[in-house]
Structure formats: structure tokens, C-alpha cells
Amino acid sequence: MKDHFYKQILDYSPIGLIYQRIIVNEHGIPEDFEFLMVNKVVETLLRRPATQIVGLRASQFFSDDQESFLQWREEFANPGDHEPGSEKTVFLKSFKRWFRINMVGVEKNYRTIFLTDVSNEVTKINHLETELKHYSKNAETRQKKEEELRVLSYRDALTGLGNRRLYDKEQKKLDREANYPITLIMADVNGLKLANDGFGHEAGDALLLKFSAILKAECPADACIARVGGDEFLILLAKTDGKKAKALIDRLNSLNSKLEVNHLILSYALGFSVKTHTTQNMEDIYREAEERMYRHKATNNSKMRSQSVDLILASLFEKYHSEKLHARRVSILSKSLAGELGFPPEAVVQVGLAGLLHDIGKIGINDEILNKQGQIDVFERMEMEKHSELGHRILASVNDYLEIADYILAHHERWDGKGYPKGLKAAEIPEVSRILALAEAYDAMTNKRSYNRELSKLEAISELQACAGKQFDPEYAKVFVERVLKSPWPQ
């Protein structure tokens, strides 16, 4: 349970994380690396599932590109402790991308690497530097280009707002008695991970851009507005007392949860604090604003996330009508089986809801795979199998769906332990997940899908019997056939 918890934390990180072991020869000289763990962001950045990265050596991973392997070895060859916070920007030819790399030596011969795609930033900076060289003889133009380069270093690449560097600079500049009272507002966009997981990073970026536009429109022209984290924003306002700050907060809240961006609700949490005299510390002002923001987030986040789950499901059903029909049939079959197994009425309702939501994670699967006619290949199947984990992440973000999230995670586990994603076996699999597995399999067999042929009711029952005790709970399978399908159990 603890390992699963930590894995979720790493996967939710907005930064790519690689944990690798340095392989040294008999003389202690580094010659290769073994990838021991990567998070979801790395899968996206390197365009490979973790199963095609973890366990490989760097020489195997870069087998078609010796130049990238040599650069990897050059950057990470030191087997000793690495200076925390060291940062480098490297170009990996294999991916035609620039990456910012922060390294930490956890212990000798092991390295934790934080990976961020900075291709856009490098492109802009290189372009400006090239222009500077071109205009080197024109002092006025050069000065203008240098100013552009300076501004770029203080700006968030996505939103155009300030970044942490600008905030730190402005905070030090404004923290003077002549500027008191100084108001600090902290804002956090709710559900960004849910948006990224459910609809992709483009959807999450759209939420951030919309919120940035709201801040620019509502805040005074001289306000310092900075995006300082994935979903975190800070606003500094000089000569602004609590009354003015409250008026701004109220204006921002008047738009809160009332805007939809690509089928997602834009919702955010806000908190503020005011510095009125020199004896107050800006760090304490920051903490107070943060505490108020988190209180606001705790009050409103659950409702927003529940609404977002509804929108994600509606979006999936809108894109794929067959999934809507499939979900409804699985819900009905699951409720029927739960009733026949003696579940109490409130639990039967819960099972029906789980049936309706069981494939919500497919919203994050590539359209080409979901729409493909005929059999999917092994790599497409690996991608498709992510939908149960993705569905779990989406639903686990809402307190009301926490229990259902666990059922969704396990609905492709098998009685014999050969299912996914955890390889649970027999009674280790939640009862509701065992019900969903039967209902989904039967509906998939008896209704035309893009990747298999439609079976008759008798053919499907024969398959259920053949797989009882292997794929399905044998007792549940028998009850399903005899009491739900009203057919005799084949002898």
C-alpha cells in the first residue's frame, strides 16, 4: 500500500523523474546505466511506456543513437554523490528535444534525475541570441534584443506571466515601508492533474491559459502576477489593504466554477494575506495566504472534481456512442448480478454506478486505438490497458468516488492472477471488480466491437464457463449465467 501511495505521488508530479543505477566495470569506471524507475511524465517526454524503459540499459535504450548514449554517459558518469540542485540543459538527438536536467545522488552508483522539456525555451533564447549577433553593429537594435532576452528569462513560457524568478525579484523590490500595505494573493487551479490525465496536457494548458487571462483582466495593471508552479499562481499588490484585496478576491470568485474549457470546469482556490508593517516577515505572509488558499480549496474542490468527472464521462460518451451503450448495459448487468449475490440495496446502486464509470479512463486513450478496426497490436494493447489506472486516478480525485476508484482499477484483474494492472488473484480482487469483469466480458462478446466478432448468447455462455476459475470468479460466473442470463450452466 505504501509503495502504491508513493508511486501515485511520483506519477502526479509535473516533472519527469528517472531513477537509475550506474554500472561500473571492474576498475570502478562508469560504462552504462540501468533504468530502475520512471514516472508518467517521463513516459510522455520519451514517448515510451515504462515497460519499454525500466530494466533497460542506456546503451540498449539509445541503441540506434550512439551520440545520445555518449552524452547521457558524459552527464551522469560520476558515481559519487552529486551536488543537489545541479542543473544542465542537454540535447538528446534521439528525441530531437532539449531537456533541463536536475540531478541528485541518493547514494553511490545511484542517480535520481529530474527531466523537463525546455525545447521551446531554448529555441526562443537561441533565436534571440542569433539576432543579437546579427545586430551586433547596431547598438540600438542590440539593446532592444537584449531586453527581449532579459524579459524572456523572467516569463512563464506557457502563460506569458511572470515566473518564480520575477516574483522573487519583485517581492524584494516592493518590501519597503513606502509600499505598505502589501497584499499577497495565492491562487491554485483545481483539478489540473485530473484535466491532464483525462484529456491530455493540452486541456490542462487551456485551463491555465484561461485562468491567466482572468488574472490579467481583473488585477490592477501594476500588479505582479506570476505562475510559480504547475497550478500555482502568486499576485503581489503594493499599497493594497485588506478591503481592496477582498474586493479583488470577490471579483475573481464571481467567475469561479462558472466557466467551462473543453468540457472541463475552470475552478480555483484563493487565499490572501496583508503585510502592514516592517515587523512582519514575508515568509509568514506567504504561509498565511497559503493556509487560507488551502482552506478554500478543501471547501470547494470536491464539488468541482465531481462536476468534472461528470463532464469527462459525458465527453467520452459524446465521442464514442458505443461506449455509452456499453457502459449502460454493463451497469444493468452488474446491478442484476449484485442483487442475485445478496448485496444490500445501497451496495447494488453503488455497483451500478461502478458499471457506468468502469471505462472512464478510456478518455485518455488515443482515438486511433479506440477506433481501430480489427485486432490491436501488442503496443496498442499496452496503451489500452492503461485505462483502468487512468480511470482510477480520475475517480480517486473525488472523495465520493474513492471506493469506486478501487473497483475500476481492478476490473481487469483475473481470478488466476494473470490480469492487470497489479496481478491480483482470487479473493484479493474486490468483489465488485469481479462482478464488473463478468458483466463487461459478456457484453463485449455479445455486442459488435471494433476488434472482435459478435457472439451469440450460447457462445458467450460457453466462453464464460471455459474461463470460470481462470479469468472469472467461478461462483460468480455460475450465478451470472443461471440467475442473470436465465440459462442453464453447461454441463
Side-chain angles (χ1 to χ4, degrees):
M1 179 63 186
K2 183 183 292 186
D3 289 344
H4 179 63
F5 173 72
Y6 287 132
K7 184 178 186 303
Q8 280 190 309
I9 292 176
L10 295 176
D11 282 344
Y12 271 83
S13 167
I15 299 174
L17 186 145
I18 298 171
Y19 184 57
Q20 68 176 24
R21 178 173 67 91
I22 301 174
I23 298 173
V24 298
N25 61 22
E26 58 184 1
H27 304 294
I29 299 173
E31 59 182 11
D32 211 336
F33 310 87
E34 180 184 6
F35 296 104
L36 301 179
M37 188 278 290
V38 299
N39 67 352
K40 296 288 185 184
V41 178
V42 170
E43 292 183 274
T44 301
L45 293 178
L46 302 187
R47 302 176 191 133
R48 303 282 193 282
T51 51
Q52 293 181 28
I53 304 175
V54 174
L56 288 182
R57 294 191 173 193
S59 57
Q60 297 171 308
F61 187 75
F62 296 111
S63 58
D64 297 327
D65 185 1
Q66 186 69 6
E67 187 175 328
S68 286
F69 168 65
L70 291 175
Q71 185 174 15
W72 194 268
R73 188 168 68 181
E74 179 183 351
E75 298 298 340
F76 309 121
N78 179 14
D81 290 341
H82 203 283
E83 183 69 23
S86 295
E87 181 177 293
K88 295 185 180 182
T89 302
V90 302
F91 181 79
L92 294 181
K93 189 176 179 182
S94 294
F95 306 99
K96 300 183 175 67
R97 307 294 290 173
W98 286 93
F99 296 98
R100 179 179 294 127
I101 295 176
N102 295 79
M103 295 168 285
V104 178
V106 177
E107 56 182 299
K108 187 174 181 179
N109 292 336
Y110 289 85
R111 182 78 72 249
T112 299
I113 300 165
F114 300 96
L115 205 66
T116 309
D117 186 344
V118 291
S119 299
N120 291 338
E121 294 179 28
V122 172
T123 299
K124 290 178 182 178
I125 291 172
N126 286 345
H127 177 69
L128 283 170
E129 289 178 341
T130 300
E131 288 187 328
L132 280 173
K133 291 178 183 177
H134 180 71
Y135 293 116
S136 60
K137 296 180 180 180
N138 186 321
E140 183 179 348
T141 306
R142 179 178 177 83
Q143 185 177 7
K144 180 180 178 182
K145 294 300 178 181
E146 285 177 342
E147 177 62 18
E148 289 181 27
L149 187 61
R150 186 191 66 79
V151 169
L152 180 63
S153 70
Y154 285 102
R155 293 293 161 188
D156 174 58
L158 174 66
T159 65
L161 298 176
N163 56 18
R164 169 68 73 171
R165 187 179 179 191
L166 177 68
Y167 168 78
D168 290 340
K169 178 184 176 183
E170 289 298 304
Q171 186 245 299
K172 290 175 183 177
K173 185 175 75 173
L174 291 176
D175 193 9
R176 303 285 187 273
E177 193 168 2
N179 294 318
Y180 295 163
I182 298 174
T183 288
L184 171 62
I185 298 176
M186 179 176 288
D188 188 280
V189 176
N190 293 323
L192 185 61
K193 286 303 298 178
L194 188 153
N196 289 336
D197 289 341
F199 288 86
H201 286 273
E202 294 83 0
D205 289 349
L207 287 177
L208 294 171
L209 287 168
K210 185 64 178 178
F211 183 56
S212 300
I214 291 173
L215 292 180
K216 292 174 186 176
E218 297 297 331
C219 292
D222 60 350
C224 171
I225 311 172
R227 180 185 175 212
V228 295
D231 52 9
E232 184 179 307
F233 295 75
L234 293 175
I235 304 161
L236 270 176
L237 300 155
K239 299 178 181 178
T240 303
D241 59 20
K243 184 177 180 180
K244 291 179 181 178
K246 181 67 166 55
L248 175 55
I249 293 282
D250 288 343
R251 289 203 305 275
L252 292 171
N253 275 331
S254 69
L255 299 171
N256 206 349
S257 301
K258 295 178 182 178
L259 296 173
E260 288 186 20
V261 182
N262 298 338
H263 303 289
L264 290 166
I265 295 172
L266 174 58
S267 169
Y268 41 87
L270 302 166
F272 78 96
S273 184
V274 182
K275 180 171 183 176
T276 57
H277 49 82
T278 55
T279 58
Q280 292 173 288
N281 189 300
M282 280 302 294
E283 292 181 3
D284 294 332
I285 297 298
Y286 182 97
R287 279 193 289 271
E288 184 175 26
E290 185 178 45
E291 288 172 5
R292 289 178 175 176
M293 182 271 290
Y294 278 123
R295 285 200 294 270
H296 185 198
K297 193 177 185 74
T299 302
N300 298 294
N301 207 18
S302 181
K303 179 181 178 182
M304 181 284 305
R305 288 174 181 266
S306 182
Q307 291 173 328
S308 292
V309 167
D310 293 342
L311 283 172
I312 290 173
L313 189 65
S315 179
L316 176 66
F317 289 167
E318 183 180 334
K319 287 174 67 177
Y320 308 106
H321 186 63
S322 61
E323 291 293 340
K324 179 178 182 178
L325 299 177
H326 172 64
R328 286 179 174 177
R329 291 191 297 264
V330 170
S331 178
I332 293 170
L333 290 170
S334 298
K335 285 172 65 178
S336 297
L337 179 53
E340 294 296 340
L341 291 170
F343 281 44
E346 63 275 12
V348 171
V349 172
Q350 184 89 328
V351 171
L353 181 57
L356 193 65
L357 295 168
H358 77 282
D359 274 344
I360 193 172
K362 286 185 178 178
I363 193 68
I365 303 302
N366 189 294
D367 291 348
E368 292 181 5
I369 297 177
L370 290 177
N371 290 323
K372 183 175 181 179
Q373 299 298 315
Q375 293 293 324
I376 57 179
D377 63 34
V378 63
F379 296 109
E380 291 167 334
R381 183 168 295 282
M382 288 168 58
E383 182 69 19
M384 179 71 85
E385 288 180 356
K386 292 179 182 178
H387 80 276
S388 58
E389 292 180 275
L390 178 52
H392 176 266
R393 290 202 299 274
I394 291 171
L395 296 172
S397 68
V398 182
N399 288 335
D400 291 345
Y401 292 140
L402 280 174
E403 193 171 9
I404 289 179
D406 290 336
Y407 302 150
I408 301 309
L409 180 65
H411 80 280
H412 279 292
E413 300 288 0
R414 291 172 50 111
W415 189 256
D416 58 10
K418 296 179 181 179
Y420 64 86
K422 291 185 175 182
L424 301 180
K425 185 177 181 180
E428 294 174 347
I429 307 169
E431 292 179 323
V432 176
S433 302
R434 290 179 246 165
I435 290 173
L436 295 176
L438 277 162
E440 181 181 47
Y442 177 77
D443 185 73
M445 287 188 288
T446 55
N447 289 276
K448 180 62 181 172
R449 309 280 278 181
S450 60
Y451 46 84
N452 66 6
R453 72 180 184 87
E454 183 178 342
L455 302 184
S456 68
K457 180 178 179 179
L458 288 178
E459 287 175 318
I461 288 173
S462 179
E463 283 291 318
L464 293 179
Q465 184 193 36
C467 294
K470 298 176 184 176
Q471 183 174 351
F472 307 117
D473 181 322
E475 178 187 346
Y476 284 14
K478 192 170 187 294
V479 173
F480 182 70
V481 170
E482 292 181 340
R483 300 186 195 174
V484 176
L485 301 181
K486 310 297 183 184
S487 297
W489 183 251
Q491 299 299 319

